[in-house]
Amino acid sequence: MDIVALRRQGWTIGQIADSTGKHPATISSWLKKGGPPPRRQPPAGHVTVVDARWAARIAQLIEANPELLATSIERIIRAEGYKGSYEALVRHLRVVRGVRPRRSAGVSVPIETAPGAEFQFDWSDCSDWGQRWGLGTLQCFGAVLCWSRRRHWFFAPSLDRPHTFEGLVRFFYDVGGIAAIGRTDRMGALGTTRGGVFRFCPEALDFARYHGFAFKACAARDAKRKGKCERPFGELNSAFMQEMALEPPASIAELNVRGARWLELYVHPRAHRVTEEAPAVRLDAERQLLGPLPRARFDTARREPRVVSAPLPLIEVDRVSYSVPPALVGATVEVRLPVDAGVLEIRQGGEVVACHRLGTPGSGPVWDPAHRAAAEAIALAPHRRHLSIVSAPQGPPGPAGLELGEGDYDVAPVDLGRYDTGCGCTGAGA
């Protein structure tokens, strides 16, 4: 349908939109550009059919993971030498596994934001993948610069406040600056809702002041307001995770490395469907309008006060007891847990007084050998006089330097009559 010709005939933008099933803003944009964008054409030299070799390879990939998207299959076989067109691959997939169901058509229009004005972030639950791969609870923090569409993913075992701060800090350093507004939903890790109003907690406000931006919370049931962050989660689960399932990661750290590489190779160099420019290209322009990074990296570690109990010099963190120097019994100390470092630091007066590897929740106390030895010494001090070794009494010293040489010696006979044996015998020899 020639929308330009319809417009010249006197059709309104609304009438054209109703006839084409497009949003009026889309029709208006097309008219300004002289018509809709041209259909994508395969590069020169690409064949238009899938031969037997690649049909067999595609069958292997579908058997390994039937949920792979055509774009994921194309990335894999393209790296292996496939020279055909994407359209040929799609036609082949429709024959071998049918047409995949599509989402119902909905009317929407992008919300425009200025460069450096806003970023959006949220969490996506990936625990089904984590359980399947043996990684346990798995969450994905996603953030995006609204103008350039530059994305960032951070996988973590929890979506608590320290991990949320860590995801934001990693995002800031990834894009090289900080936008003016950070928009999210009513995230429980960052605040509470009272009377229909969401209030950010003091820790979140301190974090925002430290980095020079402002938090904004979406209204209830207004997920589309942060759709620039929500929509990429669809590609996360339908494309990235499906590709990772072919060779699952051994750890969350490995998944983070592979996720960053995947975004750099397949997302940031690709033209965005709305902006029609690659996020990597637009980021170069937007970075100049972002706020500067702080001189020192924000400490995202979890920090809590604890009072050292008595009589044992132990503190409890997440159902595990950890030792401290016995001299601190009764004192208040600070517990610091760096994000995903697997260690616990105990500080007192600004100095680290103990450091432990994290124990399994519900396990026994974790002792530093020096702390245990000092505690035992203090506990046994009142009883040392009972534990000292009593030496046997010594007789008068004999002649000094007495030495007997070889030969016979006269020894006085023993007078047995002096001893009463109590048996009534006379001692006469038999």
Side-chain angles (χ1 to χ4, degrees):
M1 183 177 293
D2 189 346
I3 62 171
V4 177
L6 295 177
R7 182 63 170 169
R8 289 172 180 170
Q9 295 174 13
W11 286 41
T12 64
I13 292 179
Q15 291 172 337
I16 299 175
D18 293 338
S19 299
T20 59
K22 304 295 182 180
H23 194 276
T26 301
I27 299 299
S28 177
S29 175
W30 286 359
L31 290 173
K32 292 178 182 178
K33 297 177 181 180
R39 291 182 177 273
R40 189 173 70 169
Q41 298 296 329
H46 279 210
V47 295
T48 57
V49 294
V50 176
D51 59 21
R53 171 197 172 188
W54 294 114
R57 177 57 176 148
I58 292 170
Q60 291 177 354
L61 294 173
I62 294 177
E63 183 179 1
N65 187 357
E67 299 300 322
L68 281 176
L69 297 179
T71 53
S72 298
I73 295 176
E74 183 195 22
R75 278 192 286 267
I76 296 172
I77 63 177
R78 190 78 71 189
E80 297 174 354
Y82 174 71
K83 301 298 183 182
S85 64
Y86 175 76
E87 289 76 7
L89 173 62
V90 171
R91 288 194 296 269
H92 177 76
L93 290 174
R94 288 175 178 174
V95 172
V96 298
R97 70 179 181 184
V99 178
R100 294 174 62 85
R102 295 186 177 183
R103 293 176 298 178
S104 58
V107 177
S108 64
V109 60
I111 300 176
E112 298 296 336
T113 53
E118 182 178 317
F119 69 91
Q120 298 177 2
F121 64 96
D122 200 0
W123 286 95
S124 177
D125 189 356
C126 301
S127 294
D128 289 344
W129 295 104
Q131 298 295 337
R132 191 181 310 175
W133 298 338
L135 303 180
T137 302
L138 183 64
Q139 305 286 342
C140 179
F141 174 88
V144 61
L145 281 175
C146 294
W147 187 79
S148 65
R149 303 306 204 275
R150 169 81 179 201
R151 301 184 201 172
H152 178 81
W153 290 338
F154 166 56
F155 295 93
S158 172
L159 45 69
D160 59 7
R161 186 178 303 151
H163 283 91
T164 301
F165 288 165
E166 179 68 19
L168 286 169
V169 170
R170 293 192 182 198
F171 170 64
F172 296 155
Y173 281 88
D174 181 30
V175 300
I178 306 171
I181 294 176
R183 190 176 300 277
T184 185
D185 57 13
R186 302 186 170 202
M187 193 177 295
L190 299 182
T192 56
T193 300
R194 292 184 178 178
V197 178
F198 183 81
R199 300 185 184 279
F200 288 95
C201 63
E203 293 81 359
L205 297 177
D206 290 342
F207 179 88
R209 280 192 293 267
Y210 186 87
H211 292 92
F213 74 96
F215 278 120
K216 294 290 184 181
C218 296
R221 296 178 295 278
D222 187 20
K224 290 185 178 181
R225 184 61 186 84
K226 60 181 183 64
K228 295 180 180 64
C229 177
E230 292 287 351
R231 276 187 291 270
F233 283 142
E235 187 174 18
L236 166 75
N237 290 285
S238 63
F240 174 72
M241 289 301 205
Q242 299 291 349
E243 294 178 30
M244 294 300 102
L246 297 174
E247 188 178 351
S251 65
I252 295 180
E254 179 185 342
L255 185 60
N256 275 318
V257 172
R258 293 168 70 175
R261 185 185 301 120
W262 193 86
L263 290 174
E264 289 298 326
L265 290 176
Y266 305 123
V267 175
H268 296 152
R270 180 186 68 198
H272 193 271
R273 64 180 182 84
V274 175
T275 65
E276 299 180 356
E277 290 185 89
V281 175
R282 288 171 71 92
L283 177 63
D284 291 337
E286 185 172 20
R287 186 178 285 125
Q288 303 175 16
L289 301 175
L290 297 176
L293 296 170
R295 293 185 178 181
R297 192 183 193 275
F298 185 85
D299 185 10
T300 62
R302 170 185 165 193
R303 290 168 292 178
E304 298 176 359
R306 289 289 190 279
V307 176
V308 183
S309 61
L312 296 179
L314 298 173
I315 60 171
E316 184 177 338
V317 180
D318 297 335
R319 297 166 49 211
V320 179
S321 296
Y322 298 90
S323 68
V324 300
L328 296 179
V329 168
T332 300
V333 297
E334 180 190 55
V335 172
R336 180 177 181 273
L337 291 91
V339 173
D340 296 341
V343 298
L344 176 142
E345 294 180 356
I346 303 173
R347 298 185 175 190
Q348 206 269 339
E351 297 183 359
V352 178
V353 296
C355 186
H356 299 280
R357 299 294 301 178
L358 290 180
T360 304
S363 61
V366 178
W367 282 92
D368 184 306
H371 300 165
R372 191 181 190 96
E376 291 176 350
I378 294 174
L380 296 176
H383 308 285
R384 288 193 180 279
R385 62 186 182 86
H386 300 294
L387 298 177
S388 60
I389 300 176
V390 180
S391 59
Q394 302 293 329
L402 178 63
E403 296 183 0
L404 299 177
E406 297 180 357
D408 298 330
Y409 302 94
D410 292 331
V411 179
V414 179
D415 185 4
L416 298 179
R418 296 175 55 192
Y419 301 97
D420 183 8
T421 61
C423 60
C425 62
T426 60

